[in-house]
Amino acid sequence: MRRLFRHATLLLSLWLVTGLIGCAGGPQFETLSVQVTPDTPIEASDDAVLRVSLDDTSENEPSTVAESRMERPGNSPYTATLRYDANAIDSDRNYVVRAELRQGGRLTHAEDEPVPVFAGESETADPIIELVPLPRQSAAGE
């Protein structure tokens, strides 16, 4: 009889824990489509890797919320899809999207300026990142 009671208690406990886990809710994944357009067309090499990230820049050290990596992205322009947990986005924080292209193990292109996202309720268009070749030239041509 005690054995039956123990099994029943164990099964009831497992059922309650499973129910609580289900109620706690998990991540609510959403996607952000990002257009990556270089200032001049790029014919990426066979070893090229395009990295696009969604970063929280509210602190001194930015943290990455989502990242997309495309190996051998082909010819520009590019479209990247970032999958992120919408529950991790805080309206009081600052978020940007960034992009970089590596070829031959070297960083050859990066965004001209990080592009802010989630800054307002009215945002509907996909963010567009402009890639520029590195090293960047200063305005004075130095």
Side-chain angles (χ1 to χ4, degrees), residues 102-114:
R102 291 184 178 273
Q103 299 182 87
R106 290 183 327 110
L107 182 61
T108 60
H109 295 76
E111 78 277 350
D112 190 34
E113 292 287 330

Side-chain angles (χ1 to χ4, degrees), residues 36 47-54 64 66-74 78-83 98-103 105 107:
V36 181
D47 64 352
V49 177
L50 175 68
R51 178 182 175 272
V52 179
S53 64
L54 169 62
T64 300
E67 179 179 280
S68 173
R69 293 175 56 89
M70 295 170 56
E71 294 186 14
R72 288 179 268 203
Y78 311 107
T79 301
T81 302
L82 296 169
R83 187 170 180 232
R98 301 176 189 267
E100 65 180 35
L101 180 67
R102 291 184 178 273
Q103 299 182 87
L107 182 61

Side-chain angles (χ1 to χ4, degrees), residues 11-135:
L11 286 173
L12 180 61
S13 298
L14 288 173
W15 179 74
L16 287 172
V17 167
T18 303
L20 288 174
I21 290 172
C23 292
Q28 179 186 343
F29 288 110
E30 292 190 16
T31 58
L32 178 64
S33 217
V34 180
Q35 303 301 314
V36 181
T37 307
D39 61 347
T40 58
I42 298 172
E43 292 182 25
S45 64
D46 287 341
D47 64 352
V49 177
L50 175 68
R51 178 182 175 272
V52 179
S53 64
L54 169 62
D55 296 334
D56 180 347
T57 58
S58 303
E59 305 292 329
N60 288 340
E61 288 294 318
S63 62
T64 300
V65 177
E67 179 179 280
S68 173
R69 293 175 56 89
M70 295 170 56
E71 294 186 14
R72 288 179 268 203
N75 297 338
S76 62
Y78 311 107
T79 301
T81 302
L82 296 169
R83 187 170 180 232
Y84 64 95
D85 180 3
N87 296 325
I89 303 301
D90 182 344
S91 62
D92 294 331
R93 300 184 72 81
N94 301 314
Y95 300 92
V96 298
V97 287
R98 301 176 189 267
E100 65 180 35
L101 180 67
R102 291 184 178 273
Q103 299 182 87
R106 290 183 327 110
L107 182 61
T108 60
H109 295 76
E111 78 277 350
D112 190 34
E113 292 287 330
V115 178
V117 291
F118 311 135
E121 295 291 326
S122 63
E123 284 188 28
T124 56
D126 294 339
I128 299 172
I129 300 174
E130 184 179 339
L131 278 183
V132 296
L134 297 177

